[in-house]
């Protein structure tokens, strides 16, 4: 991978990078399309597949995470990706590896509360992948909104010298955000999972009607899911889109975020609220 990157650089070709953990779905494929669209002529599109152990807690789904390299590779070939980087755990964490990246103040909120150490693992692996791939730009999905904010901040703070792009969540027909973890849902659970995006839409509607009160917006969203016994809410919050601090009033922009458990799946979603001109 490093040799490929140096050779491309020597020919003036930049790399556009889409990091993934595999279990690829339409959302990932949309990111590769966006990556291609962003790239200058002659730039190369690289996707990594690496199931990163350091971002999973001891009781999380690392060993059960959907994995199908053969299918993933066929999808990426079909999508016209130039190179797929599939490092091993020892490529990424060789013996003696000692450096971990912590983005303070952003990593311990929201998902960081119920998944301690998760974003330390994400920031570390992404920094390490950036160091190997040396991309000109990297592309992430906005479904993982907190992850996106953390990676953007890390890239700025450490002056990693690449541009970070975030793209809109791809959804199923009932609004459920595409996620590799949707595969854990039983038929019954899948039938109620669309409520996540419906709750966000209800909150957004209240904002669109002119309310700027976090209390009102959150209450509107809560009403949609509170009666569904299969859905256990981890958090439902209205936050500043950059600092992820709780907001009580929306002035300009805000992000409405939700995390729930449905059966064995922990699902997240979000929506940006902003005043249209
Ligand atoms: O979003 C993901 O799939 C992962 O968190 C990432 C960014 C590939 C790091 O392992």
């Amino acid at each position: 991978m490093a040799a490929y990157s140096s050779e491309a650089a020597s020919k003036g070709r930049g790399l556009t990078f889409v990091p993934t953990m595999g279990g690829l779905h339409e959302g990932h494929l949309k990111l590769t399309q966006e990556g291609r669209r962003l790239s200058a002529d002659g730039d190369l599109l690289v996707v990594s597949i690496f199931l990163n152990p350091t971002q999973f807690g001891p009781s999380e789904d690392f060993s059960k995470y959907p994995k199908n390299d053969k299918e993933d590779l066929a999808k990426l070939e079909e999508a016209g990706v130039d190179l797929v980087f599939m490092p091993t755990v020892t490529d990424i964490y060789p013996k003696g590896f000692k450096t971990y990246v912590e983005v303070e103040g952003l990593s311990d909120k929201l998902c960081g509360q119920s998944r301690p150490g998760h974003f330390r693992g994400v920031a570390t692996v992404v920094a390490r992948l950036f160091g190997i791939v040396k991309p000109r730009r990297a592309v992430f999905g906005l479904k993982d909104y907190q992850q996106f904010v953390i990676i953007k901040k890390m890239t700025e703070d450490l002056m990693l010298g690449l541009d970070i792009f975030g793209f809109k969540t791809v959804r199923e027909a009932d609004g459920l955000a595409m996620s590799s973890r949707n595969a854990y849902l039983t038929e019954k659970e899948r039938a109620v999972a669309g409520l996540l995006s419906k709750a966000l839409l209800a909150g957004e509607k209240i904002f669109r009607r002119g309310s700027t009160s976090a209390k009102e917006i959150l209450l509107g969203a809560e009403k949609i899911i509170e009666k569904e016994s299969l859905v256990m809410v981890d958090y439902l919050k209205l936050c500043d889109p950059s600092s992820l601090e709780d907001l009580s009033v929306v002035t300009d922009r805000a992000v409405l975020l939700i995390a729930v458990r449905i059966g064995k799946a922990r699902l997240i979603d979000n929506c940006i609220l902003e005043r249209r001109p």
Side-chain angles (χ1 to χ4, degrees):
M1 179 69 246
Y4 182 91
S5 179
S6 314
E7 198 186 324
S10 72
K11 294 180 180 147
R13 304 176 84 176
L15 301 188
T16 299
F17 181 40
V18 185
T20 81
M21 296 202 298
L24 303 184
H25 50 70
E26 270 179 58
H28 295 109
L29 300 178
K30 181 80 172 107
L31 294 182
T32 65
Q33 281 170 21
E34 297 289 3
R36 180 65 81 198
R37 199 178 50 78
L38 287 172
S39 307
D41 257 1
D43 281 1
L44 297 158
L45 185 60
V46 175
V47 174
S48 64
I49 298 179
F50 177 64
L51 188 54
N52 174 35
T54 65
Q55 68 187 77
F56 289 82
S59 57
E60 291 185 356
D61 54 343
F62 176 66
S63 59
K64 296 184 194 84
Y65 198 84
K67 194 168 162 55
N68 195 335
D69 290 349
K70 218 170 143 199
E71 253 181 46
D72 286 350
L73 286 170
K75 287 178 186 167
L76 295 175
E77 180 146 31
E78 163 104 32
V81 165
D82 294 298
L83 187 84
V84 183
F85 176 41
M86 298 175 75
T88 62
V89 173
T90 42
D91 288 332
I92 298 297
Y93 303 110
K95 196 161 173 269
F97 184 89
K98 289 205 185 301
T99 307
Y100 290 85
V101 182
E102 189 93 49
V103 182
E104 289 182 355
L106 292 174
S107 296
D108 46 3
K109 298 181 161 54
L110 302 165
C111 288
Q113 295 264 301
S114 41
R115 304 188 67 191
H118 167 66
F119 290 115
R120 180 184 194 248
V122 170
T124 302
V125 78
V126 171
R128 176 105 173 127
L129 288 168
F130 285 174
I132 300 168
V133 177
K134 297 193 171 53
R136 206 167 265 181
R137 59 189 77 79
V139 173
F140 295 86
L142 289 175
K143 180 184 71 76
D144 300 297
Y145 187 80
Q146 185 176 11
Q147 166 173 285
F148 174 75
V149 172
I150 287 171
I151 290 169
K152 219 168 148 52
K153 188 77 183 104
M154 170 188 80
T155 305
E156 276 165 29
D157 285 357
L158 299 181
M159 300 179 77
L160 298 180
L162 72 148
D163 294 320
I164 305 295
F165 293 88
F167 286 99
K168 214 170 111 181
T169 305
V170 179
R171 298 179 181 281
E172 304 282 359
D174 66 345
L176 176 65
M178 291 211 180
S179 161
S180 310
R181 292 193 164 99
N182 293 349
Y184 304 152
L185 297 169
T186 62
E187 214 175 300
K188 216 169 142 198
E189 290 161 357
R190 174 63 192 84
V192 299
L195 286 181
L196 251 85
S197 68
K198 290 191 178 72
L200 296 176
L201 279 174
E204 191 187 13
K205 208 162 154 191
I206 291 169
F207 172 72
R208 292 260 156 266
R209 283 192 189 140
S211 174
T212 55
S213 148
K215 213 169 159 190
E216 285 175 17
I217 295 168
L218 292 171
L219 211 70
E222 219 173 281
K223 272 191 190 150
I224 305 290
I225 32 173
E226 67 186 2
K227 285 193 206 94
E228 180 46 70
S229 60
L230 288 178
V231 181
M232 312 291 285
V233 178
D234 179 356
Y235 63 76
L236 175 61
K237 280 182 176 274
L238 191 70
C239 300
D240 176 273
S242 311
S243 67
L244 302 180
E245 295 290 346
D246 284 355
L247 290 177
S248 51
V249 172
V250 187
T251 44
D252 239 359
R253 288 180 90 230
V255 57
L256 182 58
L257 303 121
I258 188 167
V260 304
R261 280 190 183 282
I262 307 182
K264 290 195 176 76
R266 184 176 185 280
L267 303 179
I268 56 173
D269 200 351
N270 67 83
C271 97
I272 296 281
L273 306 185
E274 83 193 305
R275 294 256 161 259
R276 291 201 186 114

